[in-house]
Each structure stands twice: as C-alpha cells, then as structure tokens.
C-alpha cells in the first residue's frame, strides 16, 4: 500500500517543525540578550565628565606619602600645573568641567580633552610599552577589549600629584588602570580609575566617574593665554595690558 | 518558570548590584571641584580676605585657563590702582553664555574680590555692573565663593531675577538683574560695602 501525498506531508510535519525551531534558535539572538555585531564596541563621540563623582573619603597614605603630602605647597603647585601645558594623567580625566572626544583609529583609541588641548593615545596593538619608553606627563597607555569593556593600563609617568591643588602625591613608578563601559541601553560612559602606587599608598586608590554622552557639544579650541602663576610680587599691569592687546 | 518569576529572577542580581553600588558610594565622598593653584590671602582667622572697590572695567577677555579683566579702582586711601581680576576658563564661561562683550570697557562697577598675596591681583567674587542710565537695571555677576548651592546664592535667588543671557549650567557663575529699588532693598537688608554678597 502506498502512502498518499497528504499522509507523507502529515508524517514529515513534526520533523520539519523540529528543524525549523532548531534553526531559529541557532541563528536568532536568545530572548533578552542584545545581539552585538562587533565584539569591540565603538565609544566614538563627545562626552562631558560628571561634575560630582566619587573618590576615596580618605587616602591610605604610606609614611612616605604622608611626608610628601605635608611638604606639598598647593599654592606653588605641581610643576606640571603651568597654564599652557597639556594636562597630565590622571588630572586630565579628573577635572570638574571636562569635555572629551573619543575616536577610534586602527590600532588605538584617542582621547582629545579640551582642557590643555590634550591628546592621549591608548595603544591597542601592543601588550606592553616599547623598550626605552621615556616617562612622560601622560605615560604610556596600553588598552585591550574585555568583551565590551575597554581596559587600559598606564605606566611610565612623571609622578607628582594626582590632582593639582589637593596635592596627593603619585610616584613615577605608579600604575593606573582604567575601565570604560556602557550600561545597557545607555550611551554614557562609565569610568573606573584605580591608582596603584605602593610608594605613596598602602592600598589601591579608586575613582569613579560617569561621562555623559553629549553629541551637541564640541571640543573647543583651547587658545591658551598664560596669566603666569608667580604670586611673589605685584602684577605688571602695563606688561599684561600689552600682551592682552596683542592677543 | 512563569514570566513574572523569570523577570524577578533576572532583577535580583541587579538589585544586589544596586545595593553594592549604593554601599560603595556611601564609602566614598563626593568629589569637589578644584582649579589651578590660586594663593588666597588669609586673615588672622584663616578666612579668605575679601576686598571691595568702586571703579571701572578697562579690559575683559575670555581666556583659558582663566579669564581676566583689568579694572581701574580707587583704593581705601583714595589712590588709583589697576588690578588683575581672574575668573573661570573661557570654555566654561562661554558655555554659560558669556562673551567678550559681557563686560565692556568703561563699565562702572562695584566689585568684590578674593585677594591674593600679590597686592593687585585677585579672583572675582562678585561684580555689580551699573546700568548706563539711572533707569537701566544693573547686573550682578557672582563667581568664586558664591557660585553653586551656597547661602549667598540662595539669598540672591530668593530676591532677584536672573539675567536672560547667562545660564548657570556649570555653576561657574550666575547673573542677576538689579534695578535701583532692588539694590536699595539689598543694601538696607545687608549693610556695608556690597554686604549682599558677603558671607
């Protein structure tokens, strides 16, 4: 007895349904998860750092750190705190009013910070700084993607203070780690900065800040004009007047 | 597992994360803003010295990292002096609506400054720019020591209207419109030179 076409169709139907369902699960995103086309998210854009953010209530200073802090004169300031220099790390990501543009290049993430017209490059094509890397104000930053989190490690710094005016010290052997990520459904960037500096701190020092996605903003030209910070005597107003009028 | 149970199951880790985050935030203090170094002049009680002058603006520029004006004032002894007064960065002030024309050469002002060890340099606490005529209201611009959520700022907000062209979006400055009646009322209530912007 031969099967009719209708009988064969009815027999095959559960099998077809099974493969159809398996095929769907194999290709469709699982319910509740966001499909990520590119494993490295693009953070490109302009952000404004939240004015209020968190830092340690107390700094776990070592004895050496206490001595350095006590010796710091905030009104003389850190030698890097000169008006028209590019901002050092980590000050450039800790200023109260901070506008930053992030762009992705082939092998790097580039941060352009308005204050000081500062450019910072986070290298993605290496796992450690090159041999002979000199110590600089922003050090050498190596980044890598950990799923959708950009992790950065910065070394080879000049040392000085974490933040001008407050005077908490940081040594040239310090190491900074940063993590940047977006919470689900948001374009804002979350930042965690951890300072590892056994010379000055008994424990890592952590800062946390949100960077608000601000496409309406732009990184303005800095056009720096130094009023000079020498406070030892009266301001030469005639000289200042001349410089300002030439500006 | 029903949809509701599934949602509750999904939410639980988030709730725990929120608790951890809140706990972590309580363990930290809010970060307060700071600037490039300014040496304040302190009195014998450790308070910042505030000086008040009448004078006129000679020159004003929006600059980075600090805006500046030169003012010509008469000091307490009746001697003419030129002062450098510093303010917030151009990139901050311009975002609050300031331009190089916000203060003009020749504007008559009463000004309160936070003095520095330098004898002719200070930071702007407040400047009252008089109107060009008796009828034209003046503008009271406030900055260091007042900006933000401070008692003086609350005092001014309760009594004065704000200027339409300055938006206090970064808490660098604020601007209030002050007509003759409002100024007299302030002076009665807060006597002394620019008593209305004093601590």
């Amino acid at each position: 007895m031969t099967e009719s076409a209708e009988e064969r169709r009815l027999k095959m139907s559960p099998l077809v349904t099974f493969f159809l369902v398996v095929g769907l699960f194999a290709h469709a995103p699982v319910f509740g998860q966001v499909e990520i086309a590119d494993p490295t998210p693009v953070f490109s854009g302009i952000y404004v750092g939240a004015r209020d953010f968190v830092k340690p209530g107390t700094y776990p200073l070592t004895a050496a750190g206490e001595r350095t802090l006590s010796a710091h004169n905030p009104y003389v300031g850190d030698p890097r705190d000169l008006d028209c220099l590019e901002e050092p790390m980590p000050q450039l990501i800790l200023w109260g009013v901070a506008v930053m543009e992030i762009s992705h290049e082939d092998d790097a993430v580039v941060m352009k910070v308005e204050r000081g017209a500062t450019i910072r490059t986070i290298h993605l094509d290496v796992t450690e700084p090159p041999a002979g890397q000199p110590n600089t104000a922003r050090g050498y930053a190596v980044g890598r993607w950990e799923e959708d989190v950009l992790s950065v490690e910065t070394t080879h710094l000049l040392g000085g203070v974490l933040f001008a005016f407050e005077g908490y010290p940081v040594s040239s052997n310090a190491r900074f780690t940063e993590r940047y990520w977006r919470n689900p459904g948001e374009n804002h960037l979350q930042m965690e900065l951890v300072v590892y500096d056994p010379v000055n701190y008994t424990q890592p020092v952590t800062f946390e800040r949100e960077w608000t996605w601000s496409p309406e903003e732009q990184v303005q030209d800095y056009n720096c004009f130094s009023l000079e910070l020498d406070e030892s005597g009266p301001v030469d107003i005639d000289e200042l007047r001349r410089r300002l009028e030439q500006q | 597992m029903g949809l509701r149970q599934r949602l509750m199951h999904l939410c639980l880790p988030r709730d725990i994360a929120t608790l951890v985050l809140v706990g972590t935030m309580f363990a930290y203090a809010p970060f307060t803003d700071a600037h490039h170094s300014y040496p304040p002049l302190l009195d014998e009680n450790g308070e910042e010295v505030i000086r008040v002058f009448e004078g006129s603006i000679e020159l004003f520029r929006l600059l980075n990292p600090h805006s500046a004006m030169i003012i010509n004032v008469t000091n307490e002894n009746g001697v003419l002096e030129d002062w450098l007064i510093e303010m917030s960065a151009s990139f901050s002030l311009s975002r609050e609506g300031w331009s190089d024309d916000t203060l003009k050469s020749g504007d008559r002002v009463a000004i309160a400054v936070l003095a520095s060890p330098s004898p002719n340099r200070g930071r702007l606490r407040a400047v009252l720019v008089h109107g060009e005529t008796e009828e034209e209201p003046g503008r009271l611009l406030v900055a260091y020591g007042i900006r933000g959520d401070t008692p003086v700022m609350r005092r001014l907000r309760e009594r004065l209207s704000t200027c339409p062209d300055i938006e206090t979006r970064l808490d660098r400055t604020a601007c209030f419109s002050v007509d003759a009646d409002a100024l007299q009322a302030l002076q009665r209530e807060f006597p002394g030179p620019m008593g209305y912007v004093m601590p």
Side-chain angles (χ1 to χ4, degrees):
Chain A
M1 194 169 89
T2 59
E3 291 179 323
S4 69
E6 180 63 16
E7 285 170 333
R8 280 200 303 274
R9 193 185 66 76
L10 286 170
K11 269 188 173 177
M12 291 291 289
S13 180
L15 208 58
V16 168
T17 304
F18 172 76
F19 281 112
L20 189 62
V21 169
V22 168
L24 276 169
F25 270 101
H27 290 93
V30 178
F31 175 76
Q33 289 185 347
V34 177
E35 188 174 22
I36 299 171
D38 186 339
T40 57
V42 175
F43 290 165
S44 294
I46 297 181
Y47 301 86
V48 176
R51 289 207 48 219
D52 293 323
F53 58 100
V54 290
K55 66 171 183 175
T58 55
Y59 286 77
L61 287 159
T62 61
E66 291 274 10
R67 284 194 298 274
T68 308
L69 177 63
S70 302
H72 178 72
N73 180 350
Y75 304 124
V76 172
D78 184 83
R80 298 165 306 169
D81 184 27
L82 300 173
D83 276 356
C84 292
L85 294 181
E86 291 189 22
E87 292 290 339
M89 271 293 289
Q91 184 163 280
L92 82 164
I93 52 174
L94 296 179
W95 276 111
V97 178
V99 180
M100 172 171 72
E101 180 172 12
I102 292 182
S103 60
H104 291 251
E105 297 183 357
D106 288 343
D107 298 321
V109 172
V110 177
M111 292 178 167
K112 181 180 179 185
V113 179
E114 186 171 86
R115 188 180 281 270
T118 306
I119 304 291
R120 180 187 184 212
T121 302
I122 298 168
H123 303 271
L124 301 176
D125 58 338
V126 295
T127 55
E128 59 185 33
Q133 169 65 32
N135 287 38
T136 62
R138 283 171 298 290
Y140 195 91
V142 175
R144 66 182 184 280
W145 290 101
E146 295 172 349
E147 297 188 350
D148 52 356
V149 177
L150 175 63
S151 292
V152 184
E153 179 170 289
T154 304
T155 56
H156 294 78
L157 297 143
L158 288 180
V161 294
L162 290 175
F163 195 78
F165 201 75
E166 295 196 342
Y168 287 103
V170 64
S171 75
S172 59
N173 290 321
R175 177 171 65 91
F176 302 150
T177 65
E178 297 153 79
R179 296 173 69 245
Y180 294 89
W181 71 96
R182 282 178 168 146
N183 289 332
E186 290 185 357
N187 284 323
H188 308 318
L189 268 190
Q190 307 300 319
M191 180 191 87
E192 178 195 73
L193 164 68
V194 184
V195 176
Y196 299 88
D197 184 10
V199 173
N200 291 301
Y201 304 100
T202 58
Q203 299 168 37
V205 178
T206 302
F207 300 82
E208 295 168 19
R209 190 178 203 186
E210 181 174 272
W211 291 82
T212 305
W213 167 254
S214 306
E216 75 286 357
E217 278 288 358
Q218 58 180 346
V219 176
Q220 299 176 1
D221 291 338
Y222 195 59
N223 292 332
C224 187
F225 182 92
S226 176
L227 293 169
E228 297 171 357
L229 293 170
D230 179 9
E231 298 284 342
S232 57
V235 176
D236 184 342
I237 297 288
D238 286 337
E239 169 65 9
L240 178 63
R241 190 180 283 127
R242 186 187 63 75
R243 290 175 55 221
L244 283 170
E245 285 169 354
Q246 285 179 349
Q247 192 238 357
Chain B
M1 188 185 286
L3 179 61
R4 186 176 174 184
Q5 286 172 304
R6 188 178 300 179
L7 284 171
M8 286 180 69
H9 179 75
L10 285 170
C11 285
L12 271 174
R14 186 175 297 175
D15 288 346
I16 292 167
T18 304
L19 284 172
V20 170
L21 180 65
V22 169
T24 306
M25 287 181 76
F26 272 106
Y28 287 80
F31 192 91
T32 52
D33 195 8
H35 270 272
H36 280 218
S37 303
Y38 275 116
L41 185 65
L42 304 178
D43 63 18
E44 62 274 14
N45 299 318
E47 302 291 329
E48 288 190 77
V49 173
I50 302 170
R51 297 186 68 182
V52 176
F53 303 108
E54 294 280 343
S56 63
I57 291 172
E58 176 187 322
L59 187 152
F60 169 67
R61 292 278 192 281
L62 285 174
L63 302 168
N64 288 315
H66 297 290
S67 300
M69 64 174 124
I70 296 174
I71 58 169
N72 312 133
V73 304
T74 305
N75 70 15
E76 297 88 342
N77 302 317
V79 177
L80 290 173
E81 290 181 348
D82 297 334
W83 274 64
L84 163 63
I85 308 297
E86 296 184 48
M87 304 173 64
S88 292
S90 169
F91 65 75
S92 298
L93 295 182
S94 61
R95 286 187 168 94
E96 292 192 334
W98 285 64
S99 71
D100 281 331
D101 295 328
T102 299
L103 298 170
K104 297 185 189 70
S105 175
D107 279 345
R108 293 178 304 109
V109 298
I111 189 165
V113 303
L114 299 173
S116 78
S118 176
N120 60 343
R121 180 175 189 162
R123 287 178 292 161
L124 179 70
R125 180 174 173 87
V127 58
L128 174 67
V129 184
H130 297 290
E132 291 184 10
T133 63
E134 288 295 320
E135 294 74 30
E136 185 183 355
R139 290 172 297 143
L140 177 64
L141 295 138
V142 300
Y144 297 110
I146 297 178
R147 64 195 188 188
D149 185 21
T150 64
V152 176
M153 185 67 92
R154 288 195 291 274
R155 171 197 305 167
L156 297 173
R157 282 185 175 139
E158 286 166 7
R159 291 165 176 81
L160 301 171
S161 58
T162 53
C163 309
D165 52 343
I166 304 289
E167 183 190 4
T168 310
R169 54 186 285 221
L170 297 171
D171 278 342
R172 301 292 89 183
T173 57
C175 179
F176 299 95
S177 181
V178 188
D179 62 22
D181 290 341
L183 183 58
Q184 284 178 8
L186 284 173
Q187 287 169 334
R188 277 196 302 273
E189 192 175 1
F190 304 98
M194 296 190 80
Y196 44 89
V197 293
M198 292 300 151

